[in-house]
């Protein structure tokens, strides 16, 4: 737990903004008074809300650094983009899964951390990473699980340095193009994320699976202790 978070007037950028969860987060966070920037790889994506205009910034996989300067004025970066190759296990699917779900996300994290040039930035700026409950539970998609667990562990590793607040979004199955097995609605999940973030949770778990509420904290504590013992900051 952290101190309560006020979302009003925060400038929030969301990757994967044109997907089901991205659009749900844009809608929910705008209701709470945030200023939204949609980061999307879909060139034709558009967003329309009655109470505000959404700035849309296109980006390309592998060229995250092109938007480095725009991150300077962002308070919260939500890393929500991802890919699910379902049952595929060929080499192309392996590279794609790790490039999108792991390495691209980690590049965004590094770019955002480079903007923390003053003490006030460390105290006020945040990163939220959608790692999903695939960190600890089957997702009926092996490469999705493997790549999400990888970024989950990397986030746990980076959080040890306390460079800024990094929240994890551990989300259960919701209806989307990535997850045909989803049972929750994206709008409900986005509402729950906002509520739990405002309360101050660093690890935001939204799922119908009670096992996650037990398995994830155990996993996170054990991995954090392991990383703390056998790694060091440079």
């Amino acid at each position: 737990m952290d101190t309560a978070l006020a979302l009003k007037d925060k400038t929030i950028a969301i990757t994967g903004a044109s997907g089901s969860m991205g659009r749900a987060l844009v809608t929910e966070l705008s209701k709470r008074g945030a200023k939204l920037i949609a980061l999307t790889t879909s060139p034709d994506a558009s967003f329309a809300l009655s109470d505000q205009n959404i700035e849309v910034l296109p980006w390309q996989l592998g060229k995250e650094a092109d938007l480095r300067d725009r991150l300077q004025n962002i308070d919260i970066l939500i890393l929500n983009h991802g890919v699910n190759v379902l049952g595929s296990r060929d080499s192309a699917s392996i590279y794609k899964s790790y490039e999108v779900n792991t390495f691209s996300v980690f590049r965004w994290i590094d770019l955002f951390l480079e903007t923390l040039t003053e003490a006030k930035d460390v105290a006020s700026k945040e990163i939220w990473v959608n790692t999903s409950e695939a960190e600890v539970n089957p997702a009926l998609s092996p490469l999705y699980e493997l790549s999400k667990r990888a970024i989950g562990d990397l986030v746990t590793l980076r959080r040890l340095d306390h460079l800024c607040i990094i929240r994890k979004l551990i989300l259960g199955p919701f209806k989307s193009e990535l997850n045909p097995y989803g049972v929750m609605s994206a709008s409900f999940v986005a509402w729950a994320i906002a509520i739990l973030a405002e309360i101050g949770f660093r690890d935001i778990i939204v799922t119908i699976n009670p096992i996650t509420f037990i398995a994830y904290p155990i996993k996170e504590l054990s991995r954090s202790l392991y990383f703390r013992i056998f790694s060091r900051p440079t």
Side-chain angles (χ1 to χ4, degrees), residues 21 25 30 38 77 82 106 161 169 171 185 195-196 199 203:
M21 180 51 58
L25 284 168
S30 69
L77 175 62
F106 199 71
D161 296 327
L169 310 181
L171 310 180
S185 70
I195 288 288
L196 294 173
I199 292 173
D203 293 319

Side-chain angles (χ1 to χ4, degrees), residues 49-67:
L49 295 176
S50 59
D51 57 341
Q52 67 165 290
N53 294 322
I54 304 300
E55 182 179 3
V56 180
L57 293 180
W59 66 282
Q60 296 180 37
L61 194 68
K63 296 184 178 180
E64 295 83 2
D66 290 350
L67 292 179

Side-chain angles (χ1 to χ4, degrees), residues 36-49:
L36 279 302
I37 299 175
L39 301 172
T40 177
T41 56
S42 300
D44 300 324
S46 62
F47 302 81
L49 295 176

Side-chain angles (χ1 to χ4, degrees), residues 18-113:
S18 60
S20 298
M21 180 51 58
R23 290 185 179 277
L25 284 168
V26 165
T27 300
E28 183 61 38
L29 296 174
S30 69
K31 292 178 182 177
R32 297 170 186 274
K35 302 172 185 177
L36 279 302
I37 299 175
L39 301 172
T40 177
T41 56
S42 300
D44 300 324
S46 62
F47 302 81
L49 295 176
S50 59
D51 57 341
Q52 67 165 290
N53 294 322
I54 304 300
E55 182 179 3
V56 180
L57 293 180
W59 66 282
Q60 296 180 37
L61 194 68
K63 296 184 178 180
E64 295 83 2
D66 290 350
L67 292 179
R68 176 188 281 110
D69 292 342
R70 294 305 308 272
L71 296 178
Q72 293 287 342
N73 298 320
I74 290 172
D75 299 307
I76 300 174
L77 175 62
I78 302 179
L79 298 172
N80 171 67
H81 64 285
V83 67
N84 188 348
V85 298
L86 298 176
S88 299
R89 61 186 184 196
D90 57 281
S91 292
S93 296
I94 292 171
Y95 284 116
K96 181 178 181 179
S97 295
Y98 276 91
E99 176 61 22
V100 177
N101 295 340
T102 307
F103 300 126
S104 174
V105 172
F106 199 71
R107 284 195 293 268
W108 276 113
I109 292 173
D110 274 346
L111 286 170
F112 191 75
L113 292 177

